[in-house]
Amino acid sequence: MLSGPRRHPRPLMADSVLTTKPSIDSILARAARLASDYLSENKNRDRLVVDWLPPGKLREKLGLKLPKEGRGLEAAFTDAQSFLKRSVRTGHPYFLNQLYTGSDPAALLGEWIASLANASMYTYEVAPVFTLLEEELVRKMGKMAGWEDCEGIFNPGGSISNLMAVLAARNAAFPHAKQRGLLAEDRPVLFCSEEAHYSVPRAASVAGIGIDAARKVPVDSIGRMRPDALASMIQKALADGFKPFMVSATCGTTMPGAFDPLEELADLCEEHKLWLHADAAFGGSVLFSKKHRNLMDGVERTNSLSWNPHKTMGVPLSCSALLLPEKGQLKATNALDADYLFHDTAEAYCDRGDMTIQCGRRVDVLKLWLSWQSHGDEGYRRRVERAFDLTASGRDLLKLRDSFELVREPEGCTLLFRFLPPSLREQERDEAWNEKLERANITLRERLKHEGRIMLNYASLDGLATLRLVLTHPDLTVEDLRFILDEMERAGANL
Amino acid sequence: MLSGPRRHPRPLMADSVLTTKPSIDSILARAARLASDYLSENKNRDRLVVDWLPPGKLREKLGLKLPKEGRGLEAAFTDAQSFLKRSVRTGHPYFLNQLYTGSDPAALLGEWIASLANASMYTYEVAPVFTLLEEELVRKMGKMAGWEDCEGIFNPGGSISNLMAVLAARNAAFPHAKQRGLLAEDRPVLFCSEEAHYSVPRAASVAGIGIDAARKVPVDSIGRMRPDALASMIQKALADGFKPFMVSATCGTTMPGAFDPLEELADLCEEHKLWLHADAAFGGSVLFSKKHRNLMDGVERTNSLSWNPHKTMGVPLSCSALLLPEKGQLKATNALDADYLFHDTAEAYCDRGDMTIQCGRRVDVLKLWLSWQSHGDEGYRRRVERAFDLTASGRDLLKLRDSFELVREPEGCTLLFRFLPPSLREQERDEAWNEKLERANITLRERLKHEGRIMLNYASLDGLATLRLVLTHPDLTVEDLRFILDEMERAGANL
């Protein structure tokens, strides 16, 4: 019989512990106070979103230098405070610049505990709890997509999720590519819309297929991929001797937040045996809402689905899931069976490391898990539906004012519009006018950024700069929207 | 003239703030106490590294379920506590299972503040401070590699860094591949050693080149790539009509921690115009030490370098840099110029988003920055040199005991050895003996894991299971090593 494990001969403690412990305690306690104050200040609309400085001046102000001799924990805390002060307040309701905003305290707690535990998600044995949490979240999110069972993995962002979808689709259509590389006779092409995220053509580039092989399908008046156009592009590709293998649909496009029609795309994919991927990095959270779920009708017919809870669900970056209804695809695509990591133990069936293109992998599931516990399905549903309602109100507000022109009817939670400066309002719309309008909109947006009270983004749409408001912050109100439009009119009055 | 920005009409505060603020305060304060207690308990060797349960039992114990109605922040905190209790204590000195261990408080603080700020690293305008920190860290780490100037980017782990090195090398040798895909006449091959990390052949697979095109060069008796073997494999590939384009050297291999001879590999790469990549994910930190830097002599002649501070430098996962001495390669390889993200502003030259295969990207630099401030170059130097000294002592301890057999002379901070159970010690070494030895070593390792006091890993080397101790924890002492060997002898006595 084995004797029990021996007790350690003495309570070995490094000398450093006793002296540094109070300081660690106090620094972490101060970090907690800093955090709760910071989160609470996010509610105050009079706080700047950014205290703007250009790179040269900011560099000077921060005086960045790494020391030869250590400056200790106290100095690190002082630096952290000053960095936070000069950073963009992405949790402020007027941070409307990106597709993510809002900081959820339960999710922040999850991130804090995850970094404390500092597990890596490759094997059950080193990350037992987080492995089970990931399994459970994958199952739950898959169920919401309409799948009784599915597989999935959390990735560092939607671009990597989309890349892994392209790799899984490539592996299904060209299974030799993993071992032998792409062959001359393969001639793969995939399709996404003109307004798909750039990570899709880039995934084609990464995967050795090339950007040109990611063919861009035209969109309709509100930004949805046109199935008729896709159908003829597939025919054309086949006639030219290419092998179409994938359609990447977007649920919530980057600019107008539009949803490609999954049912019709699924029909085409079935007909031509193509892999249907749904890039729902932005839009996936509509699955919480009975009212808006129809935007993703047909999602249960896709072969893979990207969904980023770090967007509308308010968890810190990054948290992106790739879900697939057919089990085994991720391992088939990515496994290399490294024997120094993956062992033939009783719990090996839980190991998730071979499902990804990563090896070490952060715990991105705890923050989502705790946030979900805190809010429940219903809390997320309310958040999503609130954003849709607010977008409808924002659209109506815009339409009531002469200073703005709606560019797209919103399908999701994004408003696309242009500011019409007083000087241009009554003039004839020719090319010179267009140029002036473009300049005015970019200037207005830069002014707002430099003032630091409101951050919003823009991009070119139909050849003209178009402003974008992403209205997913859970504290944003109609009153706020009025204020934001007032501010734009004020800052753009002399343009 | 513009009028100044209008003040917001009223101090808009959601009703929820006043009622939830105290609860957020108290939860974050409790998280801070939990964290400082947890870090301090890591010093106590009598704490279990893991309170082991197999997946089925753990699942039952945790009773994982996502609720329809939210359970609030308090419930989330209770869950977090119980998850932490059931997780592996990766900061414990006896967590010797992976290439990372030890939790640095300054780095933890950095992770906490980074998740609070929740910036995404694509543009200067949304991440001004963190963009400058990344620039500065890239410059500093590049200088340590011997480059006056360089470019670089932080990636979610060494596998992605290695993938991006393969993509950059592919782009340099086959510049058409990005746009048009790989062509039949390309026939690319790359080289890495037999003991290189599996992320290198997998990167070849991802990049459309194929695993077979990642050719494995034999190693010498301590695990270093053999330049003579590489030279003949290059000749053979050329003679067969392939196009060699890259050599991926390893600085600190996964099993023995060996360092490939960069100078000799650089000579060969210069001769054949091959891209030389150094995968120093594990070994990069020897650059802090004058005493051991010679292991990476020639690093200044490489074309790219992966280096993971989340390994020996103790910052939480993940923190991995890819550094390149020639500027412009990352953008040339990865840029798609998405106009909805990257604008032609005065500060656009600072935008880093187009240098990666990601879009949204976590802030992985703040934790490293604060840790570096706290410890300085000298603190890291001491940590690295301490690990080397400890490894030398560990080697000597092993050699003194009949129960162990050293498998490789250590070049880095890893001990590879086999346990010789009393029952096998005096027997003839034939195939049956080998099988028994293999079984005994795996059983011993599983026993230790199930007891939960010590976690170490193993892999097959020369066809036989080989145990590995990674000795980089900053608190680990020679006394600890004696205890660990005693424990192995105790737990393996009846094998």
Side-chain angles (χ1 to χ4, degrees):
Chain A
M1 236 192 82
L2 274 179
S3 61
R6 201 181 301 177
R7 298 280 297 174
H8 196 279
R10 56 188 177 90
L12 256 182
M13 267 208 191
D15 293 343
S16 60
V17 191
L18 296 174
T19 53
T20 61
K21 179 70 171 43
S23 138
I24 295 172
D25 277 357
S26 109
I27 290 294
L28 295 182
R30 283 157 71 190
R33 279 197 300 278
L34 181 67
S36 54
D37 288 348
Y38 186 86
L39 289 180
S40 137
E41 284 160 11
N42 276 348
K43 311 274 181 179
N44 179 356
R45 271 68 169 172
D46 284 328
R47 277 261 157 204
L48 290 182
V49 176
V50 60
D51 191 0
W52 178 262
L53 281 179
K57 287 217 172 114
L58 180 58
R59 210 176 274 122
E60 207 176 286
K61 186 140 216 142
L62 296 174
L64 302 174
K65 205 175 151 11
L66 290 165
K68 199 166 155 56
E69 294 292 345
R71 295 169 57 231
L73 201 48
E74 185 73 35
F77 184 77
T78 310
D79 285 359
Q81 269 182 308
S82 91
F83 293 162
L84 199 56
K85 214 178 122 201
R86 284 282 164 197
S87 293
V88 174
R89 230 175 227 286
T90 63
H92 192 295
Y94 298 167
F95 177 76
L96 307 144
N97 212 62
Q98 314 294 152
L99 303 186
Y100 74 93
T101 183
S103 284
D104 179 62
L108 185 71
L109 172 69
E111 197 71 323
W112 283 17
I113 301 296
S115 53
L116 181 66
N118 197 30
S120 184
M121 298 286 287
Y122 24 49
T123 55
Y124 174 82
E125 70 181 24
V126 297
V129 175
F130 307 123
T131 295
L132 298 185
L133 292 185
E134 186 165 90
E135 274 181 7
E136 205 53 37
L137 282 168
V138 162
R139 196 168 5 241
K140 173 83 177 189
M141 293 167 85
K143 272 211 167 158
M144 292 174 63
W147 299 322
E148 254 326 290
D149 204 1
C150 74
E151 68 172 5
I153 195 90
F154 279 74
N155 303 308
S159 291
I160 303 284
S161 288
N162 287 341
L163 169 60
M164 284 184 51
V166 169
L167 294 174
R170 189 191 76 181
N171 194 58
F174 310 99
H176 54 266
K178 178 181 180 184
Q179 198 70 35
R180 294 164 58 208
L182 286 163
L183 305 176
E185 60 268 31
D186 289 340
R187 306 192 73 196
V189 292
L190 64 88
F191 302 90
C192 60
S193 92
E194 289 171 340
E195 299 191 355
H197 191 256
Y198 73 97
S199 57
V200 177
R202 194 172 51 201
S205 161
V206 169
I209 292 166
I211 294 170
D212 290 349
R215 304 199 173 170
K216 298 197 169 173
V217 183
V219 295
D220 69 13
S221 65
I222 62 174
R224 297 172 296 200
M225 191 194 290
R226 279 175 40 206
D228 61 320
L230 173 62
S232 23
M233 288 176 72
I234 294 173
Q235 292 301 351
K236 172 85 169 61
L238 288 169
D240 293 346
F242 289 97
K243 181 159 182 203
F245 71 104
M246 179 185 201
V247 173
S248 179
T250 315
C251 306
T253 56
T254 311
M255 279 299 284
F259 288 74
D260 290 345
L262 294 180
E263 290 285 16
E264 288 161 273
L265 301 180
D267 290 343
L268 278 169
C269 287
E270 260 173 39
E271 185 186 338
H272 295 284
K273 301 195 187 343
L274 309 184
W275 183 286
L276 179 56
H277 172 62
D279 173 7
F282 184 30
S285 51
V286 305
L287 295 176
F288 283 104
S289 163
K290 266 196 192 153
K291 209 163 146 192
H292 301 292
R293 197 192 186 287
N294 65 306
L295 288 169
M296 283 179 70
D297 276 353
V299 62
E300 70 285 353
R301 297 173 65 194
T302 62
N303 300 93
S304 56
L305 168 67
S306 304
W307 175 359
N308 290 7
H310 76 234
K311 295 202 158 79
T312 309
M313 294 159 74
V315 307
L317 285 149
S318 57
C319 190
S320 172
L322 178 68
L323 307 165
L324 303 90
E326 192 182 326
K327 285 190 166 190
Q329 305 264 4
L330 287 174
K331 280 200 183 172
T333 305
N334 302 302
L336 257 94
D337 303 308
D339 73 348
Y340 44 78
L341 187 54
F342 305 110
H343 305 306
D344 195 17
T345 55
E347 64 274 7
Y349 74 94
C350 284
D351 293 350
R352 303 178 66 76
D354 250 358
M355 298 168 81
T356 87
I357 58 169
Q358 298 187 264
C359 173
R361 188 163 59 97
R362 282 188 89 246
V363 174
D364 286 336
V365 289
L366 182 62
K367 56 191 168 195
L368 177 57
W369 183 273
L370 296 187
S371 176
W372 209 315
Q373 287 296 331
S374 164
H375 299 287
D377 303 350
E378 283 298 304
Y380 286 137
R381 180 190 59 74
R382 284 190 293 273
R383 180 167 175 157
V384 169
E385 294 185 352
R386 199 174 185 288
F388 271 88
D389 290 349
L390 194 69
T391 309
S393 308
R395 175 198 167 282
D396 295 344
L397 285 179
L398 265 182
K399 288 216 149 190
L400 286 172
R401 301 193 185 204
D402 294 339
S403 1
F404 300 99
E405 187 171 76
L406 194 71
V407 171
R408 287 274 173 88
E409 278 299 324
E411 205 185 15
C413 304
T414 312
L415 284 182
L416 290 192
F417 59 101
R418 298 195 182 103
F419 173 66
L420 303 176
S423 65
L424 290 178
R425 232 163 276 169
E426 306 301 325
Q427 289 181 26
E428 203 196 333
R429 304 190 166 199
D430 54 12
E431 209 159 299
W433 186 91
N434 272 349
E435 268 172 37
K436 281 185 211 157
L437 185 73
E438 163 113 2
R439 238 185 352 261
N441 275 272
I442 295 179
T443 306
L444 170 60
R445 188 260 179 179
E446 288 293 303
R447 274 187 192 167
L448 291 171
K449 182 174 87 183
H450 289 199
E451 289 175 6
R453 292 173 60 72
I454 296 166
M455 280 182 85
L456 77 166
N457 215 336
Y458 74 97
S460 181
L461 210 68
D462 314 324
L464 256 180
T466 303
L467 300 175
R468 181 185 70 176
L469 290 176
V470 186
L471 302 178
T472 56
H473 196 293
D475 296 337
L476 207 61
T477 63
V478 177
E479 177 78 350
D480 286 325
L481 290 186
R482 274 199 203 94
F483 175 74
I484 289 165
L485 297 182
D486 287 350
E487 276 291 279
M488 296 181 80
E489 287 173 347
R490 193 257 321 144
N494 71 346
L495 285 172
Chain B
M1 237 192 82
L2 277 179
S3 60
R6 202 181 300 177
R7 298 278 297 174
H8 196 279
R10 56 189 178 90
L12 257 181
M13 267 210 192
D15 293 343
S16 60
V17 190
L18 295 173
T19 52
T20 62
K21 178 71 168 45
S23 139
I24 296 171
D25 278 357
S26 108
I27 291 292
L28 295 182
R30 282 157 69 190
R33 279 198 300 277
L34 181 67
S36 53
D37 288 348
Y38 186 86
L39 289 180
S40 137
E41 283 161 11
N42 275 349
K43 310 274 181 179
N44 179 356
R45 272 68 169 172
D46 284 327
R47 278 261 157 204
L48 289 183
V49 177
V50 59
D51 191 359
W52 179 262
L53 280 180
K57 287 218 172 114
L58 180 57
R59 211 177 274 120
E60 206 177 289
K61 184 141 218 140
L62 295 174
L64 303 175
K65 203 175 154 12
L66 290 166
K68 199 165 155 54
E69 294 292 345
R71 297 168 57 231
L73 201 49
E74 185 72 35
F77 183 76
T78 309
D79 285 359
Q81 270 182 310
S82 89
F83 293 163
L84 199 56
K85 213 177 125 202
R86 284 284 164 194
S87 292
V88 173
R89 227 174 231 287
T90 65
H92 192 296
Y94 299 166
F95 178 75
L96 307 144
N97 211 61
Q98 315 293 153
L99 303 185
Y100 74 93
T101 182
S103 284
D104 179 61
L108 185 71
L109 172 70
E111 197 71 322
W112 283 17
I113 301 296
S115 54
L116 181 65
N118 197 27
S120 183
M121 298 286 287
Y122 24 49
T123 56
Y124 174 83
E125 71 182 24
V126 298
V129 174
F130 306 123
T131 295
L132 299 184
L133 293 185
E134 185 166 270
E135 274 181 7
E136 206 53 37
L137 282 168
V138 162
R139 197 170 2 243
K140 173 85 178 189
M141 292 166 86
K143 271 209 167 160
M144 290 174 63
W147 299 322
E148 253 326 290
D149 204 0
C150 74
E151 69 173 4
I153 195 88
F154 279 75
N155 302 309
S159 291
I160 303 284
S161 289
N162 288 341
L163 169 60
M164 285 185 51
V166 169
L167 293 173
R170 190 191 76 181
N171 194 58
F174 310 98
H176 54 264
K178 178 181 180 183
Q179 198 69 37
R180 294 164 59 208
L182 285 163
L183 304 176
E185 60 268 32
D186 289 340
R187 310 192 72 197
V189 292
L190 64 87
F191 302 90
C192 61
S193 91
E194 290 171 339
E195 298 192 355
H197 191 257
Y198 72 98
S199 57
V200 177
R202 195 173 50 202
S205 160
V206 169
I209 293 166
I211 294 170
D212 290 348
R215 304 200 172 170
K216 299 198 168 172
V217 182
V219 296
D220 68 12
S221 66
I222 61 174
R224 297 172 296 200
M225 192 192 292
R226 279 175 40 207
D228 61 320
L230 173 62
S232 22
M233 287 175 72
I234 295 173
Q235 292 301 353
K236 172 86 169 59
L238 289 169
D240 293 345
F242 289 96
K243 182 160 181 201
F245 72 103
M246 181 185 200
V247 173
S248 180
T250 315
C251 306
T253 55
T254 310
M255 279 299 286
F259 288 74
D260 290 344
L262 294 180
E263 289 285 16
E264 289 161 272
L265 301 180
D267 290 343
L268 278 169
C269 287
E270 260 173 39
E271 185 187 337
H272 293 284
K273 299 197 191 338
L274 309 184
W275 181 287
L276 179 57
H277 172 62
D279 173 7
F282 184 30
S285 51
V286 305
L287 295 176
F288 282 105
S289 162
K290 265 195 192 152
K291 207 162 148 193
H292 301 292
R293 197 193 187 285
N294 64 305
L295 289 169
M296 283 178 71
D297 276 354
V299 63
E300 69 286 353
R301 298 172 66 193
T302 62
N303 300 93
S304 56
L305 168 67
S306 304
W307 174 0
N308 290 8
H310 76 235
K311 295 203 159 80
T312 310
M313 292 160 74
V315 307
L317 286 150
S318 58
C319 190
S320 172
L322 178 68
L323 307 165
L324 304 91
E326 192 182 326
K327 284 190 166 191
Q329 306 263 5
L330 288 174
K331 280 200 184 173
T333 305
N334 302 302
L336 257 93
D337 303 308
D339 73 349
Y340 43 77
L341 187 54
F342 305 111
H343 303 306
D344 195 18
T345 55
E347 63 274 8
Y349 74 95
C350 284
D351 292 351
R352 304 178 65 77
D354 251 358
M355 298 168 80
T356 87
I357 58 168
Q358 298 186 264
C359 173
R361 187 163 59 97
R362 283 188 88 245
V363 174
D364 286 336
V365 289
L366 182 61
K367 56 192 168 195
L368 176 57
W369 184 272
L370 295 187
S371 175
W372 208 314
Q373 287 296 332
S374 163
H375 299 287
D377 303 351
E378 284 298 305
Y380 286 138
R381 180 190 60 74
R382 283 189 294 271
R383 180 167 176 157
V384 168
E385 294 185 351
R386 197 173 186 290
F388 272 88
D389 290 349
L390 195 67
T391 310
S393 308
R395 175 198 166 282
D396 296 344
L397 284 180
L398 265 183
K399 289 216 149 189
L400 286 173
R401 300 192 184 206
D402 294 338
S403 2
F404 299 99
E405 186 170 78
L406 193 69
V407 169
R408 286 274 174 89
E409 278 300 322
E411 204 185 17
C413 303
T414 311
L415 283 183
L416 290 191
F417 60 100
R418 297 195 183 104
F419 173 67
L420 304 177
S423 65
L424 290 179
R425 232 164 275 169
E426 305 302 324
Q427 289 181 25
E428 203 196 333
R429 303 191 169 203
D430 54 14
E431 209 158 299
W433 186 90
N434 273 348
E435 267 172 40
K436 281 185 211 158
L437 185 73
E438 163 114 3
R439 237 184 355 261
N441 275 272
I442 296 179
T443 305
L444 171 60
R445 188 260 180 179
E446 287 295 302
R447 273 186 191 167
L448 291 171
K449 182 174 87 183
H450 289 201
E451 289 176 5
R453 293 174 58 72
I454 295 166
M455 279 183 85
L456 79 165
N457 216 336
Y458 75 96
S460 181
L461 211 70
D462 314 324
L464 255 180
T466 305
L467 300 175
R468 180 185 69 177
L469 289 176
V470 187
L471 303 177
T472 55
H473 196 294
D475 295 338
L476 206 61
T477 63
V478 176
E479 177 77 352
D480 286 324
L481 291 186
R482 273 198 203 97
F483 176 74
I484 290 164
L485 297 182
D486 287 350
E487 277 291 278
M488 297 181 79
E489 286 173 350
R490 193 258 320 145
N494 71 346
L495 285 173

